[in-house]
Amino acid sequence: MRPASIDQVQEVLGAQGYVCGRALATVVFLGLRLGRPLFLEGEAGTGKTEIAKALAAALGRRLIRLQCYEGLDASSAVYEWNFAAQMMAIRTAEAEGSADKDVLRAELFGPDYLIERPLLQAMRPDPAGPPVLLIDELDRTDEPFEAFLLEALSDFQVTIPELGRSARPSRPSSS
């Protein structure tokens, strides 16, 4: 349920135990209404993470957290390949004598071996509605990652070289 007014934002967040002032409720309401990210800045312990948790609970949506750190790169935030499972599949194919390279390559770099990281998880359709994507400690990343993230959030799509473009039909709520 998306709040229909600023007052209702305060009510639903309050029901989750998050006391929200009118200014913040207005920003949350507008972010939800416009389908745009909500960027919150502030000292540690001021409730930035808690509002994402409360908002996800109030909306009945999944909370997906991308914890940023120094050295985080785009592929680590989007996906990785299950290397161990890929190696097992290669060994099995070799042992069975069915190691057709083209077929094996298509299989190894397909959805069965893909480990989705927070950004890709947030782009996947969800029957409950778009998740709340919490991007925490963004200031710890470097400029190229920030640029990638801004581009990914503006278009809400990413490219996995082996699979192609992945886009979300509707934007997640961001905090």
mmCIF file of all heavy atoms in Angstrom, residues 61-102:
data_model
loop_
_atom_site.group_PDB
_atom_site.id
_atom_site.type_symbol
_atom_site.label_atom_id
_atom_site.label_comp_id
_atom_site.label_asym_id
_atom_site.label_seq_id
_atom_site.Cartn_x
_atom_site.Cartn_y
_atom_site.Cartn_z
ATOM 1 N N ARG A 61 7.161 -4.570 1.408
ATOM 2 C CA ARG A 61 8.131 -4.842 0.352
ATOM 3 C C ARG A 61 9.405 -5.432 0.930
ATOM 4 O O ARG A 61 9.700 -5.293 2.104
ATOM 5 C CB ARG A 61 8.495 -3.556 -0.393
ATOM 6 C CG ARG A 61 7.322 -2.760 -0.894
ATOM 7 C CD ARG A 61 6.993 -3.082 -2.333
ATOM 8 N NE ARG A 61 5.805 -2.401 -2.797
ATOM 9 C CZ ARG A 61 5.796 -1.204 -3.357
ATOM 10 N NH1 ARG A 61 6.909 -0.527 -3.493
ATOM 11 N NH2 ARG A 61 4.677 -0.684 -3.783
ATOM 12 N N ARG A 62 10.166 -6.038 0.073
ATOM 13 C CA ARG A 62 11.454 -6.594 0.466
ATOM 14 C C ARG A 62 12.480 -5.473 0.603
ATOM 15 O O ARG A 62 12.479 -4.526 -0.187
ATOM 16 C CB ARG A 62 11.899 -7.579 -0.614
ATOM 17 C CG ARG A 62 13.042 -8.441 -0.259
ATOM 18 C CD ARG A 62 13.171 -9.580 -1.243
ATOM 19 N NE ARG A 62 13.357 -9.108 -2.592
ATOM 20 C CZ ARG A 62 14.328 -9.512 -3.397
ATOM 21 N NH1 ARG A 62 15.168 -10.429 -3.002
ATOM 22 N NH2 ARG A 62 14.416 -9.040 -4.612
ATOM 23 N N LEU A 63 13.349 -5.573 1.595
ATOM 24 C CA LEU A 63 14.453 -4.638 1.776
ATOM 25 C C LEU A 63 15.712 -5.306 1.230
ATOM 26 O O LEU A 63 16.062 -6.403 1.642
ATOM 27 C CB LEU A 63 14.648 -4.288 3.256
ATOM 28 C CG LEU A 63 15.866 -3.419 3.568
ATOM 29 C CD1 LEU A 63 15.711 -2.023 2.968
ATOM 30 C CD2 LEU A 63 16.085 -3.323 5.065
ATOM 31 N N ILE A 64 16.356 -4.637 0.292
ATOM 32 C CA ILE A 64 17.607 -5.122 -0.271
ATOM 33 C C ILE A 64 18.677 -4.101 0.084
ATOM 34 O O ILE A 64 18.505 -2.906 -0.168
ATOM 35 C CB ILE A 64 17.519 -5.289 -1.803
ATOM 36 C CG1 ILE A 64 16.458 -6.327 -2.142
ATOM 37 C CG2 ILE A 64 18.879 -5.668 -2.386
ATOM 38 C CD1 ILE A 64 16.178 -6.458 -3.623
ATOM 39 N N ARG A 65 19.779 -4.587 0.666
ATOM 40 C CA ARG A 65 20.820 -3.679 1.139
ATOM 41 C C ARG A 65 22.109 -3.883 0.349
ATOM 42 O O ARG A 65 22.613 -4.995 0.250
ATOM 43 C CB ARG A 65 21.084 -3.939 2.616
ATOM 44 C CG ARG A 65 22.074 -3.004 3.231
ATOM 45 C CD ARG A 65 22.213 -3.296 4.705
ATOM 46 N NE ARG A 65 23.004 -2.276 5.344
ATOM 47 C CZ ARG A 65 22.984 -2.025 6.634
ATOM 48 N NH1 ARG A 65 22.196 -2.729 7.428
ATOM 49 N NH2 ARG A 65 23.736 -1.092 7.140
ATOM 50 N N LEU A 66 22.619 -2.800 -0.189
ATOM 51 C CA LEU A 66 23.931 -2.784 -0.824
ATOM 52 C C LEU A 66 24.860 -2.054 0.133
ATOM 53 O O LEU A 66 24.742 -0.852 0.310
ATOM 54 C CB LEU A 66 23.893 -2.081 -2.176
ATOM 55 C CG LEU A 66 25.248 -1.833 -2.849
ATOM 56 C CD1 LEU A 66 25.977 -3.157 -3.108
ATOM 57 C CD2 LEU A 66 25.069 -1.049 -4.134
ATOM 58 N N GLN A 67 25.726 -2.802 0.771
ATOM 59 C CA GLN A 67 26.690 -2.226 1.710
ATOM 60 C C GLN A 67 27.929 -1.826 0.920
ATOM 61 O O GLN A 67 28.607 -2.670 0.357
ATOM 62 C CB GLN A 67 27.063 -3.233 2.801
ATOM 63 C CG GLN A 67 28.009 -2.690 3.834
ATOM 64 C CD GLN A 67 27.380 -1.579 4.669
ATOM 65 O OE1 GLN A 67 26.257 -1.699 5.135
ATOM 66 N NE2 GLN A 67 28.098 -0.495 4.824
ATOM 67 N N CYS A 68 28.202 -0.539 0.857
ATOM 68 C CA CYS A 68 29.336 -0.046 0.093
ATOM 69 C C CYS A 68 30.603 -0.081 0.932
ATOM 70 O O CYS A 68 30.553 0.014 2.163
ATOM 71 C CB CYS A 68 29.076 1.378 -0.382
ATOM 72 S SG CYS A 68 27.678 1.500 -1.534
ATOM 73 N N TYR A 69 31.721 -0.215 0.250
ATOM 74 C CA TYR A 69 33.033 -0.227 0.897
ATOM 75 C C TYR A 69 34.062 0.222 -0.127
ATOM 76 O O TYR A 69 33.793 0.240 -1.339
ATOM 77 C CB TYR A 69 33.360 -1.622 1.435
ATOM 78 C CG TYR A 69 33.249 -2.722 0.410
ATOM 79 C CD1 TYR A 69 34.316 -3.055 -0.422
ATOM 80 C CD2 TYR A 69 32.050 -3.411 0.251
ATOM 81 C CE1 TYR A 69 34.198 -4.045 -1.379
ATOM 82 C CE2 TYR A 69 31.933 -4.419 -0.698
ATOM 83 C CZ TYR A 69 33.018 -4.727 -1.507
ATOM 84 O OH TYR A 69 32.894 -5.711 -2.452
ATOM 85 N N GLU A 70 35.233 0.582 0.351
ATOM 86 C CA GLU A 70 36.302 1.006 -0.527
ATOM 87 C C GLU A 70 36.689 -0.148 -1.441
ATOM 88 O O GLU A 70 36.863 -1.281 -1.001
ATOM 89 C CB GLU A 70 37.506 1.424 0.315
ATOM 90 C CG GLU A 70 38.600 2.086 -0.483
ATOM 91 C CD GLU A 70 39.712 2.614 0.394
ATOM 92 O OE1 GLU A 70 39.424 3.055 1.525
ATOM 93 O OE2 GLU A 70 40.869 2.563 -0.060
ATOM 94 N N GLY A 71 36.758 0.118 -2.734
ATOM 95 C CA GLY A 71 37.124 -0.907 -3.695
ATOM 96 C C GLY A 71 35.941 -1.646 -4.301
ATOM 97 O O GLY A 71 36.127 -2.499 -5.163
ATOM 98 N N LEU A 72 34.718 -1.328 -3.862
ATOM 99 C CA LEU A 72 33.537 -1.969 -4.445
ATOM 100 C C LEU A 72 33.466 -1.604 -5.924
ATOM 101 O O LEU A 72 33.586 -0.437 -6.287
ATOM 102 C CB LEU A 72 32.269 -1.489 -3.725
ATOM 103 C CG LEU A 72 30.928 -2.011 -4.248
ATOM 104 C CD1 LEU A 72 30.831 -3.522 -4.055
ATOM 105 C CD2 LEU A 72 29.789 -1.314 -3.530
ATOM 106 N N ASP A 73 33.279 -2.617 -6.766
ATOM 107 C CA ASP A 73 33.162 -2.349 -8.193
ATOM 108 C C ASP A 73 31.762 -2.721 -8.675
ATOM 109 O O ASP A 73 30.984 -3.335 -7.954
ATOM 110 C CB ASP A 73 34.242 -3.056 -8.994
ATOM 111 C CG ASP A 73 34.148 -4.569 -8.908
ATOM 112 O OD1 ASP A 73 33.341 -5.092 -8.124
ATOM 113 O OD2 ASP A 73 34.900 -5.238 -9.645
ATOM 114 N N ALA A 74 31.489 -2.335 -9.916
ATOM 115 C CA ALA A 74 30.146 -2.525 -10.460
ATOM 116 C C ALA A 74 29.727 -3.986 -10.462
ATOM 117 O O ALA A 74 28.614 -4.317 -10.051
ATOM 118 C CB ALA A 74 30.076 -1.944 -11.866
ATOM 119 N N SER A 75 30.610 -4.873 -10.916
ATOM 120 C CA SER A 75 30.175 -6.264 -11.007
ATOM 121 C C SER A 75 29.916 -6.864 -9.636
ATOM 122 O O SER A 75 29.018 -7.689 -9.479
ATOM 123 C CB SER A 75 31.186 -7.120 -11.784
ATOM 124 O OG SER A 75 32.407 -7.213 -11.091
ATOM 125 N N SER A 76 30.649 -6.450 -8.610
ATOM 126 C CA SER A 76 30.399 -6.966 -7.254
ATOM 127 C C SER A 76 29.049 -6.502 -6.715
ATOM 128 O O SER A 76 28.452 -7.173 -5.886
ATOM 129 C CB SER A 76 31.498 -6.514 -6.297
ATOM 130 O OG SER A 76 32.744 -7.029 -6.691
ATOM 131 N N ALA A 77 28.586 -5.373 -7.175
ATOM 132 C CA ALA A 77 27.297 -4.851 -6.729
ATOM 133 C C ALA A 77 26.143 -5.431 -7.528
ATOM 134 O O ALA A 77 24.996 -5.401 -7.087
ATOM 135 C CB ALA A 77 27.277 -3.328 -6.835
ATOM 136 N N VAL A 78 26.455 -5.977 -8.713
ATOM 137 C CA VAL A 78 25.409 -6.462 -9.609
ATOM 138 C C VAL A 78 25.321 -7.990 -9.606
ATOM 139 O O VAL A 78 24.255 -8.561 -9.402
ATOM 140 C CB VAL A 78 25.632 -5.946 -11.053
ATOM 141 C CG1 VAL A 78 24.569 -6.493 -11.996
ATOM 142 C CG2 VAL A 78 25.628 -4.429 -11.081
ATOM 143 N N TYR A 79 26.440 -8.670 -9.845
ATOM 144 C CA TYR A 79 26.408 -10.129 -9.989
ATOM 145 C C TYR A 79 27.802 -10.702 -9.826
ATOM 146 O O TYR A 79 28.802 -9.997 -9.842
ATOM 147 C CB TYR A 79 25.881 -10.527 -11.359
ATOM 148 C CG TYR A 79 26.891 -10.272 -12.454
ATOM 149 C CD1 TYR A 79 27.696 -11.307 -12.938
ATOM 150 C CD2 TYR A 79 27.083 -8.997 -12.980
ATOM 151 C CE1 TYR A 79 28.640 -11.078 -13.917
ATOM 152 C CE2 TYR A 79 28.025 -8.759 -13.954
ATOM 153 C CZ TYR A 79 28.804 -9.791 -14.424
ATOM 154 O OH TYR A 79 29.749 -9.557 -15.385
ATOM 155 N N GLU A 80 27.844 -12.011 -9.709
ATOM 156 C CA GLU A 80 29.079 -12.772 -9.857
ATOM 157 C C GLU A 80 28.693 -14.152 -10.360
ATOM 158 O O GLU A 80 27.534 -14.554 -10.283
ATOM 159 C CB GLU A 80 29.895 -12.828 -8.571
ATOM 160 C CG GLU A 80 29.304 -13.691 -7.483
ATOM 161 C CD GLU A 80 30.186 -13.736 -6.245
ATOM 162 O OE1 GLU A 80 31.053 -14.622 -6.180
ATOM 163 O OE2 GLU A 80 29.983 -12.898 -5.363
ATOM 164 N N TRP A 81 29.664 -14.852 -10.885
ATOM 165 C CA TRP A 81 29.424 -16.201 -11.372
ATOM 166 C C TRP A 81 29.789 -17.193 -10.289
ATOM 167 O O TRP A 81 30.754 -17.006 -9.560
ATOM 168 C CB TRP A 81 30.231 -16.472 -12.645
ATOM 169 C CG TRP A 81 29.749 -15.632 -13.781
ATOM 170 C CD1 TRP A 81 30.363 -14.555 -14.319
ATOM 171 C CD2 TRP A 81 28.520 -15.784 -14.488
ATOM 172 N NE1 TRP A 81 29.595 -14.021 -15.320
ATOM 173 C CE2 TRP A 81 28.462 -14.761 -15.438
ATOM 174 C CE3 TRP A 81 27.454 -16.678 -14.400
ATOM 175 C CZ2 TRP A 81 27.383 -14.609 -16.310
ATOM 176 C CZ3 TRP A 81 26.388 -16.527 -15.269
ATOM 177 C CH2 TRP A 81 26.347 -15.507 -16.214
ATOM 178 N N ASN A 82 29.015 -18.278 -10.195
ATOM 179 C CA ASN A 82 29.276 -19.327 -9.224
ATOM 180 C C ASN A 82 30.404 -20.199 -9.779
ATOM 181 O O ASN A 82 30.172 -21.219 -10.428
ATOM 182 C CB ASN A 82 28.012 -20.140 -8.965
ATOM 183 C CG ASN A 82 28.184 -21.123 -7.849
ATOM 184 O OD1 ASN A 82 29.287 -21.513 -7.506
ATOM 185 N ND2 ASN A 82 27.063 -21.545 -7.284
ATOM 186 N N PHE A 83 31.621 -19.753 -9.519
ATOM 187 C CA PHE A 83 32.807 -20.388 -10.080
ATOM 188 C C PHE A 83 32.914 -21.857 -9.692
ATOM 189 O O PHE A 83 33.231 -22.707 -10.518
ATOM 190 C CB PHE A 83 34.057 -19.613 -9.641
ATOM 191 C CG PHE A 83 35.332 -20.159 -10.193
ATOM 192 C CD1 PHE A 83 35.636 -20.033 -11.536
ATOM 193 C CD2 PHE A 83 36.233 -20.816 -9.373
ATOM 194 C CE1 PHE A 83 36.812 -20.543 -12.061
ATOM 195 C CE2 PHE A 83 37.415 -21.333 -9.881
ATOM 196 C CZ PHE A 83 37.707 -21.187 -11.227
ATOM 197 N N ALA A 84 32.664 -22.170 -8.428
ATOM 198 C CA ALA A 84 32.771 -23.564 -7.973
ATOM 199 C C ALA A 84 31.791 -24.464 -8.731
ATOM 200 O O ALA A 84 32.162 -25.554 -9.188
ATOM 201 C CB ALA A 84 32.526 -23.651 -6.476
ATOM 202 N N ALA A 85 30.549 -24.019 -8.890
ATOM 203 C CA ALA A 85 29.552 -24.823 -9.615
ATOM 204 C C ALA A 85 29.926 -24.936 -11.097
ATOM 205 O O ALA A 85 29.721 -25.994 -11.713
ATOM 206 C CB ALA A 85 28.170 -24.212 -9.457
ATOM 207 N N GLN A 86 30.474 -23.855 -11.668
ATOM 208 C CA GLN A 86 30.909 -23.916 -13.058
ATOM 209 C C GLN A 86 32.031 -24.944 -13.236
ATOM 210 O O GLN A 86 32.027 -25.714 -14.199
ATOM 211 C CB GLN A 86 31.386 -22.534 -13.529
ATOM 212 C CG GLN A 86 30.266 -21.539 -13.716
ATOM 213 C CD GLN A 86 30.786 -20.140 -13.992
ATOM 214 O OE1 GLN A 86 31.740 -19.682 -13.373
ATOM 215 N NE2 GLN A 86 30.135 -19.463 -14.929
ATOM 216 N N MET A 87 32.978 -24.952 -12.310
ATOM 217 C CA MET A 87 34.083 -25.908 -12.394
ATOM 218 C C MET A 87 33.571 -27.349 -12.265
ATOM 219 O O MET A 87 34.038 -28.240 -12.978
ATOM 220 C CB MET A 87 35.135 -25.620 -11.318
ATOM 221 C CG MET A 87 35.926 -24.347 -11.573
ATOM 222 S SD MET A 87 36.736 -24.316 -13.197
ATOM 223 C CE MET A 87 37.844 -25.694 -13.070
ATOM 224 N N MET A 88 32.622 -27.558 -11.388
ATOM 225 C CA MET A 88 32.042 -28.900 -11.239
ATOM 226 C C MET A 88 31.341 -29.328 -12.530
ATOM 227 O O MET A 88 31.450 -30.486 -12.951
ATOM 228 C CB MET A 88 31.078 -28.941 -10.059
ATOM 229 C CG MET A 88 31.792 -28.892 -8.718
ATOM 230 S SD MET A 88 30.700 -28.819 -7.290
ATOM 231 C CE MET A 88 29.572 -30.143 -7.569
ATOM 232 N N ALA A 89 30.638 -28.408 -13.155
ATOM 233 C CA ALA A 89 29.947 -28.732 -14.411
ATOM 234 C C ALA A 89 30.957 -29.054 -15.511
ATOM 235 O O ALA A 89 30.735 -29.966 -16.320
ATOM 236 C CB ALA A 89 29.048 -27.577 -14.825
ATOM 237 N N ILE A 90 32.057 -28.338 -15.545
ATOM 238 C CA ILE A 90 33.101 -28.611 -16.546
ATOM 239 C C ILE A 90 33.696 -29.998 -16.318
ATOM 240 O O ILE A 90 33.838 -30.791 -17.249
ATOM 241 C CB ILE A 90 34.204 -27.529 -16.486
ATOM 242 C CG1 ILE A 90 33.662 -26.194 -17.004
ATOM 243 C CG2 ILE A 90 35.438 -27.962 -17.291
ATOM 244 C CD1 ILE A 90 34.575 -25.011 -16.755
ATOM 245 N N ARG A 91 34.014 -30.293 -15.072
ATOM 246 C CA ARG A 91 34.592 -31.607 -14.742
ATOM 247 C C ARG A 91 33.600 -32.741 -15.057
ATOM 248 O O ARG A 91 33.995 -33.785 -15.581
ATOM 249 C CB ARG A 91 34.995 -31.670 -13.265
ATOM 250 C CG ARG A 91 36.045 -30.699 -12.853
ATOM 251 C CD ARG A 91 37.398 -31.084 -13.442
ATOM 252 N NE ARG A 91 38.407 -30.166 -12.963
ATOM 253 C CZ ARG A 91 39.154 -29.412 -13.736
ATOM 254 N NH1 ARG A 91 39.029 -29.484 -15.044
ATOM 255 N NH2 ARG A 91 40.045 -28.592 -13.224
ATOM 256 N N THR A 92 32.358 -32.528 -14.754
ATOM 257 C CA THR A 92 31.332 -33.543 -15.045
ATOM 258 C C THR A 92 31.207 -33.758 -16.549
ATOM 259 O O THR A 92 31.139 -34.898 -17.022
ATOM 260 C CB THR A 92 29.973 -33.117 -14.443
ATOM 261 O OG1 THR A 92 30.125 -32.945 -13.036
ATOM 262 C CG2 THR A 92 28.889 -34.133 -14.732
ATOM 263 N N ALA A 93 31.184 -32.663 -17.310
ATOM 264 C CA ALA A 93 31.079 -32.768 -18.765
ATOM 265 C C ALA A 93 32.296 -33.483 -19.345
ATOM 266 O O ALA A 93 32.167 -34.312 -20.261
ATOM 267 C CB ALA A 93 30.924 -31.386 -19.383
ATOM 268 N N GLU A 94 33.477 -33.194 -18.802
ATOM 269 C CA GLU A 94 34.689 -33.873 -19.270
ATOM 270 C C GLU A 94 34.636 -35.361 -18.943
ATOM 271 O O GLU A 94 34.988 -36.206 -19.777
ATOM 272 C CB GLU A 94 35.933 -33.250 -18.624
ATOM 273 C CG GLU A 94 36.274 -31.882 -19.162
ATOM 274 C CD GLU A 94 37.410 -31.202 -18.397
ATOM 275 O OE1 GLU A 94 37.785 -31.677 -17.289
ATOM 276 O OE2 GLU A 94 37.917 -30.188 -18.903
ATOM 277 N N ALA A 95 34.200 -35.695 -17.741
ATOM 278 C CA ALA A 95 34.128 -37.101 -17.317
ATOM 279 C C ALA A 95 33.110 -37.882 -18.143
ATOM 280 O O ALA A 95 33.308 -39.062 -18.435
ATOM 281 C CB ALA A 95 33.774 -37.188 -15.831
ATOM 282 N N GLU A 96 32.013 -37.238 -18.532
ATOM 283 C CA GLU A 96 30.977 -37.894 -19.328
ATOM 284 C C GLU A 96 31.323 -37.899 -20.817
ATOM 285 O O GLU A 96 30.634 -38.537 -21.611
ATOM 286 C CB GLU A 96 29.625 -37.199 -19.118
ATOM 287 C CG GLU A 96 29.075 -37.356 -17.713
ATOM 288 C CD GLU A 96 27.812 -36.531 -17.486
ATOM 289 O OE1 GLU A 96 27.459 -35.690 -18.347
ATOM 290 O OE2 GLU A 96 27.183 -36.730 -16.432
ATOM 291 N N GLY A 97 32.351 -37.131 -21.182
ATOM 292 C CA GLY A 97 32.732 -37.038 -22.589
ATOM 293 C C GLY A 97 31.782 -36.185 -23.406
ATOM 294 O O GLY A 97 31.737 -36.279 -24.623
ATOM 295 N N SER A 98 31.010 -35.348 -22.751
ATOM 296 C CA SER A 98 30.035 -34.508 -23.457
ATOM 297 C C SER A 98 30.429 -33.039 -23.387
ATOM 298 O O SER A 98 29.589 -32.171 -23.190
ATOM 299 C CB SER A 98 28.645 -34.704 -22.845
ATOM 300 O OG SER A 98 28.660 -34.328 -21.470
ATOM 301 N N ALA A 99 31.686 -32.762 -23.583
ATOM 302 C CA ALA A 99 32.192 -31.400 -23.418
ATOM 303 C C ALA A 99 32.142 -30.613 -24.730
ATOM 304 O O ALA A 99 33.162 -30.143 -25.224
ATOM 305 C CB ALA A 99 33.607 -31.426 -22.848
ATOM 306 N N ASP A 100 30.956 -30.471 -25.312
ATOM 307 C CA ASP A 100 30.785 -29.598 -26.478
ATOM 308 C C ASP A 100 30.986 -28.171 -25.987
ATOM 309 O O ASP A 100 30.194 -27.650 -25.188
ATOM 310 C CB ASP A 100 29.390 -29.781 -27.079
ATOM 311 C CG ASP A 100 29.136 -28.886 -28.286
ATOM 312 O OD1 ASP A 100 29.888 -27.910 -28.502
ATOM 313 O OD2 ASP A 100 28.171 -29.166 -29.018
ATOM 314 N N LYS A 101 32.046 -27.532 -26.460
ATOM 315 C CA LYS A 101 32.452 -26.236 -25.916
ATOM 316 C C LYS A 101 31.374 -25.165 -26.041
ATOM 317 O O LYS A 101 31.148 -24.399 -25.116
ATOM 318 C CB LYS A 101 33.741 -25.760 -26.568
ATOM 319 C CG LYS A 101 34.938 -26.579 -26.155
ATOM 320 C CD LYS A 101 36.193 -26.091 -26.832
ATOM 321 C CE LYS A 101 37.349 -26.997 -26.444
ATOM 322 N NZ LYS A 101 38.566 -26.634 -27.138
ATOM 323 N N ASP A 102 30.708 -25.095 -27.168
ATOM 324 C CA ASP A 102 29.691 -24.054 -27.353
ATOM 325 C C ASP A 102 28.495 -24.262 -26.430
ATOM 326 O O ASP A 102 27.994 -23.323 -25.829
ATOM 327 C CB ASP A 102 29.234 -24.004 -28.816
ATOM 328 C CG ASP A 102 30.341 -23.513 -29.738
ATOM 329 O OD1 ASP A 102 31.196 -22.723 -29.270
ATOM 330 O OD2 ASP A 102 30.351 -23.915 -30.921
#
